[in-house]
């Protein structure tokens, strides 16, 4: 055998031996088991990340296509400028390192490529030695055979250390800058290039000056290499280095926890939430709870009524606040809904043709087979329109209507759309459910109100994109849903809050334990619960004072805008009292007997101004005349006032009013109550 043939044979043998060794002892490239679990929003933005279960490190998978191009350019120029050209080992860099070793008697630079550094990260060495270096070289060659250059970069930037338990450029950027590394400033990019070489010594939170010096060296080298202009380097060097570590995102913490419990083996979980909306509502909930006092929590949920997709879900005021039991998800807790089911009672009564908006209904003490509801303020309004009764959230009229339509029918309608109120053990549906006598979740309440916003059709709420979109079910007819929206959109907003053009209803449970507010427009529904997670009473906690301001602030800050209500469906009209059939002008109930001994209203009596009084309103002076205060006792609301035979512009429900006269002199004032009884006084105005 000739020398040439022998050389070929030996070369072939060496090749096959190396190939066998490469296949028999592959590099440990599988790292998914050590990655952080990520929960993402509908657009792929990070909602919450969890430290890797194996070692408690934050290790988020990098994607080169989503990293700042300038950062990648600086990293390659600083660490391995011939990265795209070599096959894992840079002979020129190794030769330079060898010369420096001989000249200085110590290792000055290792000549490592990014592929060799990745090999070291995959198999951490305990000490620097020639054996370890040769092992890195071999592993780098193996890695290059298996992975593309971009894949090598991604794996390196997933595993590179950045101080503490931070690994990978994404975790580092989130912890040091509070953002993903998609668009970095020049200063930030330089710091992320410098940190992996000595992550503990250069930690910005512990050694800010060392970190700054390392960043500046990167900037200077980039300027010398012509990567960035000198003027930009000078500007970047003047910027401060982040001096504290930020927590990684933890939005929608309760839902994220529930999601990973349901599917524990997945690394990425996608939700239908919108991170921008979620962040805004979490801030609103936190600020609202702080205003309301200690141990109070807030839960909120925003949904698209047409699709049933949940865009934001806030389970508590602060997940990490033990004083408010923040770990408890109050968006799915069973609580008394207070008056929030009243719109559905009125809707059923409208469906059945029992009432219209201007139908008069009694608000007086009544006994419904032993059940005696009372109004929240312990006062009664007498005769009121259905519209006013719903807007004022009066209890007795709601129970009169519930008694007429039937509690079982209300429960059946709620269950038909997938919402099941929880009754006390052994109880059957009774009239008390109309005032909060059944357990309901915020999620269930939002689903019901989504039906009101969606022309009476409610869809099951969905949190996950792969959840099947179920067919909608009827909670109310389109005509009844429109009538309810027309009435609730007329409820005045909380004091100091601008009118947004939404319909909303509040509720307060017995004992001031739960405060609710649910509002909707033509597209979105937002629900708010306020209270203590342990069920304790909070004196003075009401839906109007505590939950409604949070509702309006949440709608304003969510960014979804306000969608106009749809046009009235065919058959939905709002008639004046004079236009209604005689049978619908007053609701007549066969139950709800007056309570024996309950006071009845006497005839109205004007107590101010008194008969024959001379009252100085300022007509004799050059200043504008003051209005005249009017006050009565007795009578049945509503009240109509006449001044000198001319009716005042509005009807008054309360026993106080005011009149702005045109001039002085003798005047006659008359009041007429709902029963047609009158009282008059004659006065002289000066």
């Amino acid at each position: 055998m000739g020398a040439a043939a022998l050389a070929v044979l030996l070369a072939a043998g060496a090749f096959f031996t190396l190939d066998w060794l490469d296949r028999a002892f592959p590099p440990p490239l599988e790292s998914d088991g050590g990655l952080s679990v990520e929960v993402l929003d509908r657009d792929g933005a990070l909602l919450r990340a969890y430290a890797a279960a194996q070692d408690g490190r934050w290790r988020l998978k990098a994607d080169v296509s989503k990293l700042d191009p300038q950062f990648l350019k600086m990293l390659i120029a600083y660490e391995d400028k011939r990265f795209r050209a070599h096959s894992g080992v840079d002979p020129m860099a190794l030769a330079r390192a060898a010369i420096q070793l001989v000249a200085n008697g110590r290792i000055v630079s290792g000549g490592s490529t990014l592929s060799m550094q990745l090999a070291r990260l995959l198999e951490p060495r305990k000490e620097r030695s020639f054996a370890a270096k040769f092992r890195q070289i071999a592993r780098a060659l193996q890695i290059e055979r298996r992975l593309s250059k971009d894949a090598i970069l991604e794996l390196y930037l997933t595993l590179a250390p950045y101080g503490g338990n931070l690994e990978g450029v994404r975790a580092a950027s989130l912890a040091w800058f509070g953002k993903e590394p998609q668009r970095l400033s020049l200063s930030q990019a330089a710091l992320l290039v410098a940190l992996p070489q000595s992550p503990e010594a250069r930690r910005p939170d512990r050694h800010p000056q060392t970190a700054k010096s390392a960043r500046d060296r990167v900037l200077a080298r980039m300027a010398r290499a012509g990567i960035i202009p000198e003027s930009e380097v000078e500007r970047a060097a003047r910027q401060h280095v982040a001096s504290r570590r930020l927590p990684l995102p933890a939005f929608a913490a309760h839902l994220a926890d529930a999601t990973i419990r349901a599917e524990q083996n997945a690394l990425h979980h996608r939700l239908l939430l919108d991170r921008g909306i979620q962040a805004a509502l979490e801030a609103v909930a936190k600020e609202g709870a702080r205003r309301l006092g200690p141990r109070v929590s807030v839960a909120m949920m925003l949904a698209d009524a047409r699709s049933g997709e949940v865009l934001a879900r806030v389970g508590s005021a602060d997940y990490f606040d033990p004083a408010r039991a923040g770990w408890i998800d109050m968006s799915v807790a069973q609580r008394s809904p207070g008056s929030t089911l009243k719109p559905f009672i009125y809707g059923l009564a409208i469906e059945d043709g029992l009432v219209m908006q201007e139908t008069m209904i009694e608000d007086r003490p009544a006994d419904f087979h032993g059940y005696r509801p009372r109004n929240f303020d312990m006062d009664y309004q007498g005769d009121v329109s259905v519209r006013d009764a719903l807007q004022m959230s009066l209890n007795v009229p709601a129970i009169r209507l519930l008694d007429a339509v039937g509690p079982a029918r209300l429960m059946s309608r709620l269950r038909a759309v997938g919402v099941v109120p929880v009754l006390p053990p052994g109880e059957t549906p009774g009239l008390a459910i109309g005032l909060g006598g059944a357990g309901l979740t915020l999620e269930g309440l939002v689903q019901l109100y989504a039906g009101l916003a969606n022309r009476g059709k409610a869809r099951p709420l969905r949190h996950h994109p792969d959840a099947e979109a179920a067919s909608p079910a009827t909670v109310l007819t389109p005509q009844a849903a429109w009538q309810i929206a027309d009435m609730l959109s007329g409820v005045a907003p909380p004091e100091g809050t601008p009118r947004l053009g939404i319909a909303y209803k509040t509720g307060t449970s017995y004992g001031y334990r739960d405060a609710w507010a649910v509002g909707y427009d033509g597209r979105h529904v937002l629900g708010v619960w306020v209270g203590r997670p342990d069920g304790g009473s909070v004196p003075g906690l009401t839906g109007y004072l505590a939950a409604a301001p949070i509702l309006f602030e949440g709608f304003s800050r969510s960014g979804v805008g306000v969608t106009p209500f749809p046009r009235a469906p065919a058959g939905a009209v709002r008639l004046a009292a004079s236009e209604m059939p005689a049978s619908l002008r007053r609701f007549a109930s066969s139950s709800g007997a007056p309570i024996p001994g309950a006071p009845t209203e006497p005839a109205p009596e004007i107590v101010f101004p008194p008969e024959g009084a001379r009252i100085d309103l300022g007509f004799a002076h050059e200043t504008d005349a003051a209005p005249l205060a009017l006050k009565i006792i007795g009578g049945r609301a509503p009240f109509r006032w006449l001044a000198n035979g001319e009716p005042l512009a509005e009807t008054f429900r309360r026993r106080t009013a005011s009149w702005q006269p045109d001039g002085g002199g003798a005047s006659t004032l008359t009041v007429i109550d709902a029963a047609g009884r009158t009282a008059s006084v004659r006065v002289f105005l000066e």
Side-chain angles (χ1 to χ4, degrees):
M1 181 181 296
L6 180 60
V8 170
L9 184 61
L10 291 174
F15 172 80
F16 285 111
T17 300
L18 291 173
D19 184 66
W20 178 84
L21 290 172
D22 177 58
R23 296 176 186 276
F25 303 99
L29 298 177
E30 298 297 329
S31 60
D32 284 357
L35 293 176
S36 294
V37 174
E38 300 179 40
V39 180
L40 312 174
D41 81 343
R42 63 194 303 118
D43 298 319
L46 182 64
L47 285 169
R48 189 177 187 193
Y50 294 80
Q54 292 182 353
D55 53 15
R57 293 183 176 273
W58 298 101
R59 192 180 294 116
L60 307 178
K61 185 174 178 58
D63 182 345
V64 168
S65 65
K66 296 180 180 179
L67 297 179
D68 188 328
Q70 179 176 247
F71 162 73
L72 293 175
K73 187 176 181 181
M74 292 170 61
L75 173 69
I76 293 173
Y78 191 82
E79 290 285 358
D80 188 0
K81 61 184 178 182
R82 285 177 287 276
F83 172 69
R84 298 288 181 182
H86 63 65
S87 299
V89 179
D90 185 350
M92 295 176 64
L94 287 177
R96 183 194 69 243
I99 293 171
Q100 290 174 339
L101 173 62
V102 173
N104 295 276
R106 60 183 177 85
I107 297 176
V108 176
S109 63
S112 294
T113 62
L114 285 172
S115 301
M116 292 169 64
Q117 293 182 49
L118 174 58
R120 186 173 71 246
L121 293 173
L122 292 170
E123 295 179 301
R125 68 190 184 195
K126 296 182 179 179
E127 59 181 13
R128 300 181 71 175
S129 65
F130 288 111
K133 181 65 68 175
F134 285 130
R135 183 179 180 87
Q136 288 175 24
I137 291 172
R139 287 303 197 193
L141 295 173
Q142 288 183 293
I143 290 170
E144 292 271 350
R145 288 189 65 185
R146 289 165 171 79
L147 301 180
S148 67
K149 291 293 185 178
D150 281 350
I152 292 171
L153 267 181
E154 286 182 352
L155 192 51
Y156 169 78
L157 290 172
T158 297
L159 301 177
Y162 283 87
N165 63 344
L166 299 174
E167 289 191 3
V169 68
R170 288 183 60 208
S173 184
L174 289 166
W176 300 127
F177 314 134
K179 65 179 183 180
E180 292 274 3
Q182 294 177 341
R183 297 187 65 181
L184 299 168
S185 70
L186 187 57
S187 172
Q188 292 168 343
L191 180 62
L192 292 181
V193 169
L195 278 176
Q197 292 141 28
S198 188
E200 291 306 316
R202 298 175 179 178
R203 279 184 59 166
D205 57 339
R206 295 184 178 179
H207 310 287
Q209 190 56 49
T210 305
K212 182 179 184 303
S213 299
R215 179 205 65 182
D216 292 347
R217 285 194 296 273
V218 173
L219 291 171
R221 186 183 294 185
M222 295 302 101
R224 289 195 299 270
I227 303 297
I228 51 180
E230 187 70 37
S231 58
E232 292 187 23
V233 169
E234 294 175 358
R235 185 164 50 250
R238 289 195 296 267
Q239 295 182 10
H240 295 290
V241 171
S243 59
R244 69 184 184 94
R245 174 172 164 173
L246 304 173
L248 266 68
F251 297 115
H254 301 90
L255 181 58
D257 286 347
T259 300
I260 64 169
R261 283 196 300 268
E263 192 178 357
Q264 298 182 5
N265 294 326
L267 281 174
H268 293 86
H269 303 265
R270 184 68 68 93
L271 299 177
L272 289 169
L273 304 187
D274 182 295
R275 190 175 73 171
I277 300 174
Q278 180 72 27
L281 293 191
E282 287 191 13
V284 170
K286 191 171 185 176
E287 294 164 12
R290 188 182 299 117
R291 290 194 302 266
L292 292 169
R295 293 189 287 181
V296 173
S297 191
V298 175
M300 306 176 73
M301 187 175 291
L302 178 71
D304 185 319
R306 299 177 190 174
S307 65
E309 296 178 356
V310 176
L311 303 179
R313 176 172 144 179
V314 182
S316 67
D318 187 345
Y319 180 83
F320 300 102
D321 187 352
R324 301 181 191 276
W327 64 86
I328 300 178
D329 186 356
M330 297 307 300
S331 67
V332 293
Q334 296 281 351
R335 305 295 287 231
S336 167
S339 299
T340 55
L341 291 181
K342 286 178 181 175
F344 304 95
I345 299 172
Y346 283 79
L348 289 176
I350 291 172
E351 277 189 24
D352 291 349
L354 300 177
V355 295
M356 298 183 75
Q357 288 195 40
E358 298 304 325
T359 300
M360 300 304 291
I361 189 170
E362 284 187 277
D363 178 38
R364 293 182 180 82
D367 188 327
F368 298 86
H369 316 291
Y371 179 56
R372 300 181 176 185
R374 296 180 296 179
N375 285 331
F376 184 77
D377 60 2
M378 302 300 176
D379 195 9
Y380 298 90
Q381 301 298 319
D383 285 354
V384 295
S385 68
V386 162
R387 181 182 181 88
D388 288 340
L390 177 57
Q391 290 182 347
M392 298 170 69
S393 196
L394 301 177
N395 288 343
V396 177
I399 297 304
R400 290 187 187 279
L401 295 179
L402 181 58
D403 187 56
V405 301
R409 183 155 173 257
L410 173 64
M411 290 289 285
S412 176
R413 189 65 67 90
L414 301 184
R415 288 169 176 160
V417 298
V419 178
V420 184
V422 177
L423 297 171
E427 292 287 334
T428 57
L431 295 177
I433 64 174
L435 304 181
L440 201 63
T441 66
L442 176 62
E443 183 176 14
L445 206 55
V446 169
Q447 183 168 318
L448 289 174
Y449 275 77
L452 296 181
N454 192 39
R455 291 180 173 267
K457 296 291 187 180
R459 293 180 179 273
L461 299 184
R462 295 189 297 133
H463 297 91
H464 305 277
D466 55 352
E468 183 178 355
S471 300
T474 299
V475 64
L476 289 176
T477 63
Q479 293 78 14
W482 181 87
Q483 297 283 359
I484 296 301
D486 189 57
M487 290 188 279
L488 292 182
S489 60
V491 178
E495 185 176 354
T497 302
R499 188 179 291 274
L500 296 179
I502 65 173
Y504 83 104
K505 181 72 182 74
T506 62
T508 306
S509 69
Y510 177 77
Y512 301 101
R513 290 177 171 84
D514 307 276
W516 304 83
V518 189
Y520 61 96
D521 59 10
R523 181 65 182 267
H524 298 102
V525 181
L526 176 60
V528 176
W529 169 89
V530 179
R532 284 178 48 171
D534 61 3
S537 176
V538 182
L541 185 80
T542 66
Y544 184 76
L545 295 176
I550 296 175
L551 171 75
F552 275 72
E553 186 177 1
F555 244 115
S556 298
R557 292 171 57 177
S558 67
V560 297
V562 176
T563 303
F565 290 103
R567 298 173 61 182
V573 293
R574 179 182 173 188
L575 299 178
S578 59
E579 300 173 316
M580 295 191 305
S583 60
L584 284 175
R585 293 181 182 177
R586 173 174 288 276
F587 175 72
S589 174
S590 59
S591 62
I595 296 177
T600 58
E601 304 93 343
E605 177 185 352
I606 300 175
V607 295
F608 190 88
E611 172 67 25
R614 298 180 69 90
I615 302 172
D616 184 2
L617 295 179
F619 287 109
H621 311 289
E622 294 183 359
T623 57
D624 293 336
L628 176 64
L630 309 174
K631 185 175 182 179
I632 63 172
I633 59 173
R636 180 191 303 175
F639 304 101
R640 170 69 74 179
W641 284 88
L642 293 88
N644 301 317
E646 294 291 330
L648 301 191
E650 61 179 304
T651 299
F652 296 90
R653 299 219 52 82
R654 301 195 179 277
R655 291 172 170 78
T656 58
S658 65
W659 169 50
Q660 182 68 63
D662 293 332
S667 294
T668 300
L669 299 169
T670 302
V671 66
I672 307 173
D673 78 346
R677 297 171 294 184
T678 65
S680 298
V681 295
R682 290 179 296 275
V683 297
F684 192 87
L685 306 179
E686 299 176 338

